Amino acid sequence: MSRKRAPSKTPKTSLHRQGYNFIAEGASAAVKPCMWCKRALRGGESCYKHQFYGIDTWKCVQMTPTLRCNQRCLFCWRSMEHEIVTETELSPEEIAAALPRMQKKGLSGDKPYTDPARWEEATEHPTQYALSLSGEPTLYPKLPELVDLLRKDPKNSVFVVSNGTIPSMIERIRPTQLYLSLDAVDVSSYERICRPIGDPAAMWANIQKSLALLRKKEEEGIRTAVRITLVKGYNDTDEEGFARLIEEAGPLFVEVKGYMYLGYSRMRLTEMHVPDMETIRSFAAEVAKLCNYDIMDENAASRVVCLKRKS
């Protein structure tokens, strides 16, 4: 008697088991409530974005309009093996309309432990949208329209986290806060740690163009931030190089965040690559000293130090 062969896992099946809720069949637009959202929903601690920027963590929807990415960063916790190659492109209206429903689905297991009023706020009236789940959001061609739609309600704020490789899209989007990742100081270190798909020199040049747009974005009323993911042994010894790039770009905030040994990054790095909090503090302090920034705050639980531009 022959045995039936078990169906192979698809990328979306594997990601769904990890807590991703996909908005539609064939699309990779997804929602996944983070650990801090769940903790805050139950009345516990909020994330560092509440501490630094005042968002209500339990009302934050962590999502992405696409899981496609044009980098293979060593420190990324997502799976390179579960790559989304083709997908159905959803409209901004379809994505925005589905977000409360997807958030409710992702938080359903927390409802019995949650104050009813807070549950209603989190699932019926979210006010914060973080386009930072996974993938590179600027690969979604209708990102400007999606951001505008989410910001249509004046109570809402939208954070976009981008690797900066598509400056033409960075120029068009108008989020509440724009994060650009900056994890290297030159093209060789960028190629080593971020492993771009495409010509490293051209993509590094595009990142420089995006960084150069930050002053203009701030003039448009957009809060700007640069995030450095610090990986021990890879990018933790060139404070001067990072300070130079930060001084030229002039973001309002700089987050120095330590690499965390989580998810699929454990297949590429080891616990030896995790910097301790004292290393993160020391690196951030040296960067601040070398450019026009002060240390504003820190959150040890998330291994992050926040710098703010002077005056």
Side-chain angles (χ1 to χ4, degrees):
M1 181 177 172
S2 62
R3 293 183 179 178
K4 289 184 177 180
R5 183 178 296 176
S8 61
K9 286 184 182 178
T10 65
K12 289 181 69 172
T13 298
S14 299
L15 291 169
H16 185 69
R17 289 175 179 173
Q18 297 170 35
Y20 288 72
N21 286 308
F22 292 93
I23 290 174
E25 186 69 29
S28 73
V31 175
K32 183 180 185 290
C34 77
M35 172 191 75
W36 294 106
C37 177
K38 288 172 171 283
R39 284 185 181 178
L41 182 62
R42 295 184 180 210
E45 292 179 291
S46 290
C47 73
Y48 74 89
K49 293 186 185 73
H50 169 77
Q51 179 181 336
F52 294 170
Y53 312 118
I55 72 157
D56 291 329
T57 305
W58 68 95
K59 292 192 282 185
C60 178
V61 178
Q62 180 183 238
M63 60 81 61
T64 182
T66 179
L67 286 174
R68 291 180 294 121
C69 193
N70 55 3
Q71 295 184 164
R72 299 290 181 269
C73 299
L74 288 172
F75 54 82
C76 184
W77 51 266
R78 73 186 183 91
S79 169
M80 311 303 177
E81 295 75 24
H82 298 146
E83 190 62 29
I84 303 295
V85 179
T86 60
E87 63 175 322
T88 301
E89 183 184 294
L90 301 178
S91 70
E93 291 77 14
E94 288 174 303
I95 293 174
L99 293 182
R101 172 170 50 88
M102 293 292 101
Q103 183 77 338
K104 182 179 289 188
K105 184 177 180 180
L107 294 173
S108 59
D110 299 275
K111 185 176 182 179
Y113 313 99
T114 303
D115 174 76
R118 181 160 287 201
W119 169 260
E120 183 176 352
E121 284 185 331
T123 59
E124 302 293 341
H125 311 290
T127 57
Q128 163 69 15
Y129 297 88
L131 280 66
S132 63
L133 171 59
S134 193
E136 171 50 41
T138 59
L139 290 175
Y140 174 60
K142 297 178 180 176
L143 182 63
E145 294 84 351
L146 176 61
V147 170
D148 289 348
L149 187 57
L150 294 175
R151 290 197 69 188
K152 190 173 181 180
D153 187 330
K155 296 191 296 294
N156 291 350
S157 61
V158 177
F159 285 20
V160 173
V161 181
S162 172
N163 61 25
T165 56
I166 308 179
S168 59
M169 186 63 78
I170 296 298
E171 193 162 21
R172 292 173 57 205
I173 58 176
R174 303 287 185 272
T176 309
Q177 179 156 320
L178 172 64
Y179 275 97
L180 291 185
S181 298
L182 181 63
D183 305 303
V185 297
D186 54 32
V187 67
S188 60
S189 57
Y190 168 67
E191 185 175 12
R192 183 183 181 217
I193 195 169
C194 295
R195 304 189 301 172
I197 299 173
D199 177 18
M203 294 181 74
W204 178 248
N206 280 342
I207 291 170
Q208 306 315 298
K209 291 177 183 177
S210 292
L211 288 168
L213 289 169
L214 290 182
R215 294 184 190 275
K216 178 184 175 185
K217 305 308 284 185
E218 190 171 341
E219 290 173 0
E220 296 171 358
I222 296 166
R223 204 161 55 215
T224 58
V226 159
R227 177 185 289 165
I228 301 168
T229 299
L230 205 64
V231 184
K232 190 175 179 180
Y234 278 88
N235 62 356
D236 60 333
T237 59
D238 197 345
E239 295 94 337
E240 187 175 345
F242 279 106
R244 183 182 67 254
L245 292 170
I246 290 165
E247 186 72 17
E248 290 172 358
L252 183 57
F253 299 103
V254 176
E255 291 181 6
V256 180
K257 195 174 190 314
Y259 160 65
M260 309 283 266
Y261 188 62
L262 297 171
Y264 286 86
S265 73
R266 293 174 295 180
M267 298 175 68
R268 306 171 218 118
L269 298 171
T270 72
E271 290 183 90
M272 298 295 292
H273 296 106
V274 177
D276 59 31
M277 192 62 197
E278 191 51 47
T279 298
I280 298 165
R281 287 189 188 107
S282 176
F283 183 93
E286 184 64 17
V287 169
K289 187 170 74 174
L290 292 168
C291 54
N292 191 39
Y293 287 78
D294 286 322
I295 292 178
M296 183 186 85
D297 208 346
E298 69 169 54
N299 186 295
S302 293
R303 301 277 184 89
V304 59
V305 174
C306 186
L307 312 180
K308 187 176 183 181
R309 193 182 64 230
K310 294 178 183 178
S311 60

